[in-house]
């Protein structure tokens, strides 16, 4: 008999995006101002928590939070934005690098 172990996970909202996280996961979030390595951060925008039973928020789960440990800040790969209008001798080239904060999920409190 092969029993699957159900891992506890949560769905959090940060920077207009939603992330499914479990304890020990490493995520790249949008830059969190003032985040230093080894610092802990709490996110209270928890939309769903699932372990033995599933709690769905309306819009967030009351009293639930996810504790994150900051690993470091970095900038993403450069994205080139190139616009050209044919036969008009019109070109525009622009580069963009997004700022990220790398974090590890320490615990999920529900």
């Amino acid at each position: 008999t092969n029993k699957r172990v159900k891992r506890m996970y949560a769905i959090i909202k940060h920077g207009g995006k939603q992330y499914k996280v479990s304890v020990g996961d490493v995520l790249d979030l949008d830059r969190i101002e003032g985040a230093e390595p080894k610092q802990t951060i709490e996110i209270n925008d928890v939309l769903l928590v699932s372990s033995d039973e599933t709690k769905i928020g309306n819009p967030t789960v009351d009293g639930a939070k996810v504790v994150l440990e900051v690993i470091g800040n970095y900038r993403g790969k450069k994205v080139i934005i190139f616009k050209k209008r044919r036969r008009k001798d019109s070109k525009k080239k622009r580069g963009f690098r997004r700022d990220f904060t790398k974090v590890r999920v320490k615990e999920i409190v529900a």
Side-chain angles (χ1 to χ4, degrees):
T1 59
N2 189 3
K3 274 191 129 182
R4 289 181 64 189
V5 177
K6 197 163 186 196
R7 259 179 100 190
M8 183 177 190
Y9 70 90
I11 295 179
I12 61 171
K13 189 169 125 188
H14 181 268
K17 293 179 270 305
Q18 295 179 6
Y19 300 90
K20 179 181 175 184
V21 298
S22 296
V23 175
D25 287 358
V26 175
L27 306 174
D28 296 328
L29 299 179
D30 286 341
R31 170 70 52 93
I32 301 169
E33 288 304 316
E36 298 294 321
K38 302 275 189 236
Q39 182 182 342
T40 58
I41 291 172
E42 291 180 0
I43 292 193
N44 297 315
D45 285 342
V46 180
L47 306 176
L48 179 141
V49 176
S50 176
S51 54
D52 299 332
E53 58 178 281
T54 302
K55 293 181 191 162
I56 300 173
N58 183 15
T60 58
V61 178
D62 291 333
K65 66 181 179 183
V66 174
V67 180
L68 308 171
E69 179 188 12
V70 177
I71 297 171
N73 295 311
Y74 73 100
R75 298 185 76 194
K77 279 179 67 176
K78 181 177 270 194
V79 177
I80 303 295
I81 297 106
F82 184 76
K83 296 181 179 179
K84 180 176 193 271
R85 291 167 194 87
R86 61 193 186 145
R87 299 184 302 273
K88 303 281 188 270
D89 196 24
S90 165
K91 297 192 273 264
K92 182 164 41 173
K93 184 177 180 180
R94 210 174 149 243
F96 173 75
R97 291 181 72 184
R98 220 160 109 211
D99 294 329
F100 290 105
T101 299
K102 192 179 271 295
V103 295
R104 179 177 291 114
V105 181
K106 286 186 83 171
E107 66 170 322
I108 298 170
V109 179

